[in-house]
Short mmCIF file of all heavy atoms in Angstrom, two decimals:
data_model
loop_
_atom_site.label_atom_id
_atom_site.label_comp_id
_atom_site.label_asym_id
_atom_site.label_seq_id
_atom_site.Cartn_x
_atom_site.Cartn_y
_atom_site.Cartn_z
N PRO B 571 -26.96 8.62 16.76
CA PRO B 571 -26.51 7.23 17.00
C PRO B 571 -27.01 6.89 18.41
O PRO B 571 -26.21 6.41 19.34
CB PRO B 571 -25.04 7.31 16.94
CG PRO B 571 -24.63 8.65 17.36
CD PRO B 571 -25.71 9.60 16.96
N LEU B 572 -28.26 7.03 18.73
CA LEU B 572 -28.70 6.65 20.06
C LEU B 572 -29.70 5.50 20.02
O LEU B 572 -30.50 5.40 19.12
CB LEU B 572 -29.42 7.92 20.70
CG LEU B 572 -28.59 9.12 20.75
CD1 LEU B 572 -29.45 10.34 21.25
CD2 LEU B 572 -27.45 8.95 21.76
N GLN B 573 -29.55 4.62 20.99
CA GLN B 573 -30.42 3.42 21.00
C GLN B 573 -31.60 3.71 22.07
O GLN B 573 -31.52 4.51 22.84
CB GLN B 573 -29.67 2.21 21.50
CG GLN B 573 -29.27 1.23 20.33
CD GLN B 573 -27.92 1.73 19.72
OE1 GLN B 573 -27.07 2.14 20.42
NE2 GLN B 573 -27.88 1.71 18.49
N GLN B 574 -32.64 2.84 21.76
CA GLN B 574 -33.69 2.90 22.74
C GLN B 574 -33.13 2.39 24.08
O GLN B 574 -32.17 1.66 24.08
CB GLN B 574 -34.80 1.91 22.25
CG GLN B 574 -35.42 2.37 20.96
CD GLN B 574 -36.07 3.70 21.04
OE1 GLN B 574 -36.77 3.93 22.03
NE2 GLN B 574 -35.84 4.51 20.10
N PRO B 575 -33.77 2.79 25.11
CA PRO B 575 -33.36 2.38 26.43
C PRO B 575 -33.41 0.88 26.56
O PRO B 575 -34.27 0.24 25.96
CB PRO B 575 -34.23 3.05 27.41
CG PRO B 575 -35.30 3.78 26.68
CD PRO B 575 -34.89 3.91 25.17
N ILE B 576 -32.49 0.29 27.29
CA ILE B 576 -32.52 -1.14 27.38
C ILE B 576 -33.32 -1.59 28.68
O ILE B 576 -33.28 -2.74 29.00
CB ILE B 576 -31.05 -1.74 27.52
CG1 ILE B 576 -30.32 -0.99 28.56
CG2 ILE B 576 -30.37 -1.46 26.12
CD1 ILE B 576 -28.90 -1.57 28.84
N THR B 577 -33.93 -0.68 29.16
CA THR B 577 -34.66 -0.98 30.39
C THR B 577 -35.93 -0.25 30.52
O THR B 577 -36.08 0.88 29.85
CB THR B 577 -33.88 -0.69 31.78
OG1 THR B 577 -34.60 -1.05 32.82
CG2 THR B 577 -33.56 0.70 31.77
N ASN B 578 -36.97 -0.78 31.15
CA ASN B 578 -38.08 -0.02 31.48
C ASN B 578 -37.72 0.95 32.62
O ASN B 578 -36.68 0.86 33.23
CB ASN B 578 -39.24 -0.86 31.93
CG ASN B 578 -39.61 -1.89 30.90
OD1 ASN B 578 -39.71 -1.36 29.76
ND2 ASN B 578 -40.04 -3.01 31.23
N PHE B 579 -38.67 1.87 32.89
CA PHE B 579 -38.31 2.64 34.02
C PHE B 579 -39.74 3.30 34.54
O PHE B 579 -40.46 3.88 33.76
CB PHE B 579 -37.39 3.81 33.64
CG PHE B 579 -37.02 4.82 34.75
CD1 PHE B 579 -36.47 4.21 35.91
CD2 PHE B 579 -37.32 6.15 34.63
CE1 PHE B 579 -36.11 5.16 36.92
CE2 PHE B 579 -36.88 6.98 35.72
CZ PHE B 579 -36.40 6.48 36.90
N SER B 580 -39.91 3.22 35.69
CA SER B 580 -41.04 3.73 36.30
C SER B 580 -40.74 5.24 36.78
O SER B 580 -39.97 5.33 37.77
CB SER B 580 -41.56 2.93 37.46
OG SER B 580 -42.66 3.44 38.01
N ILE B 581 -41.19 6.12 36.01
CA ILE B 581 -40.79 7.51 36.29
C ILE B 581 -41.29 8.02 37.60
O ILE B 581 -42.55 7.83 37.91
CB ILE B 581 -41.19 8.49 35.15
CG1 ILE B 581 -40.76 7.82 33.81
CG2 ILE B 581 -40.78 9.88 35.46
CD1 ILE B 581 -41.04 8.68 32.67
N PRO B 582 -40.46 8.61 38.47
CA PRO B 582 -40.97 9.26 39.69
C PRO B 582 -42.11 10.18 39.40
O PRO B 582 -42.02 10.86 38.39
CB PRO B 582 -39.76 10.05 40.22
CG PRO B 582 -38.59 9.40 39.50
CD PRO B 582 -39.03 8.76 38.23
N GLU B 583 -43.05 10.36 40.27
CA GLU B 583 -44.17 11.01 40.01
C GLU B 583 -44.01 12.48 39.62
O GLU B 583 -44.69 13.02 38.72
CB GLU B 583 -45.13 11.06 41.24
CG GLU B 583 -46.56 10.79 40.95
CD GLU B 583 -47.37 10.90 42.18
OE1 GLU B 583 -47.29 9.97 43.01
OE2 GLU B 583 -47.97 11.97 42.48
N ASP B 584 -43.05 12.98 40.37
CA ASP B 584 -42.74 14.51 40.14
C ASP B 584 -42.37 14.67 38.65
O ASP B 584 -42.71 15.69 38.04
CB ASP B 584 -41.67 15.03 40.98
CG ASP B 584 -42.00 14.77 42.39
OD1 ASP B 584 -43.11 15.15 42.79
OD2 ASP B 584 -41.12 14.34 43.17
N LEU B 585 -41.60 13.76 38.15
CA LEU B 585 -41.14 13.88 36.83
C LEU B 585 -42.22 13.56 35.81
O LEU B 585 -42.21 14.15 34.67
CB LEU B 585 -39.93 13.02 36.53
CG LEU B 585 -38.68 13.43 37.38
CD1 LEU B 585 -37.48 12.48 37.11
CD2 LEU B 585 -38.28 14.82 37.18
N GLN B 586 -43.13 12.69 36.21
CA GLN B 586 -44.18 12.45 35.27
C GLN B 586 -44.94 13.60 34.84
O GLN B 586 -45.40 13.73 33.71
CB GLN B 586 -45.17 11.45 36.04
CG GLN B 586 -44.99 10.06 35.50
CD GLN B 586 -45.93 9.12 36.23
OE1 GLN B 586 -47.13 9.43 36.44
NE2 GLN B 586 -45.51 7.90 36.51
N GLN B 587 -45.16 14.52 35.77
CA GLN B 587 -45.89 15.75 35.44
C GLN B 587 -45.24 16.50 34.25
O GLN B 587 -45.77 16.93 33.30
CB GLN B 587 -45.97 16.74 36.67
CG GLN B 587 -46.97 16.31 37.66
CD GLN B 587 -46.87 17.38 38.80
OE1 GLN B 587 -46.00 18.23 38.85
NE2 GLN B 587 -47.89 17.19 39.69
N CYS B 588 -43.82 16.62 34.39
CA CYS B 588 -43.04 17.19 33.42
C CYS B 588 -43.24 16.61 32.08
O CYS B 588 -43.55 17.29 31.03
CB CYS B 588 -41.60 17.38 33.71
SG CYS B 588 -41.30 17.88 35.39
N GLN B 589 -43.19 15.34 32.20
CA GLN B 589 -43.21 14.58 30.86
C GLN B 589 -44.58 14.78 30.14
O GLN B 589 -44.67 15.08 28.88
CB GLN B 589 -42.95 13.12 31.18
CG GLN B 589 -42.73 12.33 29.90
CD GLN B 589 -42.45 10.85 30.20
OE1 GLN B 589 -43.28 10.20 30.91
NE2 GLN B 589 -41.35 10.32 29.67
N SER B 590 -45.65 14.59 30.94
CA SER B 590 -46.94 14.67 30.30
C SER B 590 -47.20 16.18 29.74
O SER B 590 -47.74 16.28 28.68
CB SER B 590 -48.06 14.29 31.17
OG SER B 590 -47.68 13.80 32.41
N ALA B 591 -46.73 17.11 30.54
CA ALA B 591 -47.00 18.47 30.08
C ALA B 591 -46.24 18.70 28.69
O ALA B 591 -46.93 19.19 27.77
CB ALA B 591 -46.32 19.51 31.08
N PHE B 592 -45.07 18.21 28.52
CA PHE B 592 -44.41 18.44 27.39
C PHE B 592 -44.98 17.72 26.27
O PHE B 592 -45.08 18.12 25.17
CB PHE B 592 -42.90 18.19 27.51
CG PHE B 592 -42.12 18.53 26.31
CD1 PHE B 592 -41.69 19.84 26.11
CD2 PHE B 592 -41.89 17.61 25.28
CE1 PHE B 592 -40.91 20.19 24.94
CE2 PHE B 592 -41.17 18.02 24.12
CZ PHE B 592 -40.72 19.27 24.04
N MET B 593 -45.35 16.37 26.55
CA MET B 593 -45.95 15.52 25.54
C MET B 593 -47.20 16.26 24.97
O MET B 593 -47.38 16.29 23.79
CB MET B 593 -46.36 14.21 26.14
CG MET B 593 -45.31 13.35 26.42
SD MET B 593 -44.76 12.38 25.09
CE MET B 593 -45.62 10.91 25.33
N GLU B 594 -48.05 16.80 25.86
CA GLU B 594 -49.24 17.46 25.41
C GLU B 594 -48.97 18.68 24.46
O GLU B 594 -49.54 18.72 23.41
CB GLU B 594 -50.07 18.01 26.62
CG GLU B 594 -51.09 17.04 27.13
CD GLU B 594 -51.97 17.88 28.10
OE1 GLU B 594 -52.75 18.68 27.63
OE2 GLU B 594 -51.88 17.44 29.29
N PHE B 595 -48.07 19.42 24.90
CA PHE B 595 -47.62 20.51 24.09
C PHE B 595 -47.11 20.08 22.66
O PHE B 595 -47.49 20.59 21.68
CB PHE B 595 -46.44 21.33 24.80
CG PHE B 595 -45.68 22.08 23.92
CD1 PHE B 595 -46.05 23.40 23.37
CD2 PHE B 595 -44.30 21.69 23.47
CE1 PHE B 595 -45.30 24.17 22.48
CE2 PHE B 595 -43.57 22.39 22.61
CZ PHE B 595 -43.99 23.62 22.17
N TYR B 596 -46.26 19.11 22.67
CA TYR B 596 -45.70 18.67 21.53
C TYR B 596 -46.72 18.02 20.44
O TYR B 596 -46.74 18.22 19.40
CB TYR B 596 -44.55 17.61 21.85
CG TYR B 596 -43.62 17.42 20.55
CD1 TYR B 596 -42.66 18.32 20.23
CD2 TYR B 596 -43.72 16.26 19.85
CE1 TYR B 596 -41.77 18.12 19.10
CE2 TYR B 596 -42.90 15.98 18.79
CZ TYR B 596 -41.95 16.96 18.43
OH TYR B 596 -41.11 16.74 17.36
N GLN B 597 -47.56 17.16 21.04
CA GLN B 597 -48.52 16.55 20.26
C GLN B 597 -49.41 17.50 19.57
O GLN B 597 -49.82 17.52 18.37
CB GLN B 597 -49.46 15.54 21.00
CG GLN B 597 -48.72 14.42 21.75
CD GLN B 597 -47.95 13.50 20.74
OE1 GLN B 597 -47.59 13.92 19.55
NE2 GLN B 597 -47.65 12.30 21.10
N LYS B 598 -49.80 18.59 20.37
CA LYS B 598 -50.67 19.69 19.93
C LYS B 598 -50.00 20.34 18.71
O LYS B 598 -50.56 20.60 17.74
CB LYS B 598 -50.92 20.63 21.03
CG LYS B 598 -51.97 21.75 20.70
CD LYS B 598 -53.33 21.15 20.81
CE LYS B 598 -54.41 22.13 20.13
NZ LYS B 598 -54.48 23.31 20.94
N LYS B 599 -48.64 20.57 18.91
CA LYS B 599 -47.94 21.35 17.92
C LYS B 599 -47.86 20.54 16.61
O LYS B 599 -47.95 21.09 15.56
CB LYS B 599 -46.53 21.59 18.49
CG LYS B 599 -45.61 22.28 17.56
CD LYS B 599 -44.31 22.75 18.24
CE LYS B 599 -43.24 23.12 17.32
NZ LYS B 599 -43.49 24.30 16.41
#
Side-chain angles (χ1 to χ4, degrees):
Chain B
L572 302 172
Q573 259 84 39
Q574 295 301 316
I576 53 176
T577 178
N578 294 323
F579 182 57
S580 180
I581 304 178
E583 221 185 285
D584 303 313
L585 297 181
Q586 257 181 36
Q587 281 180 355
C588 312
Q589 192 180 52
S590 348
F592 189 83
M593 288 279 264
E594 267 192 65
F595 157 77
Y596 194 78
Q597 301 297 23
K598 188 78 192 292
K599 180 170 161 65

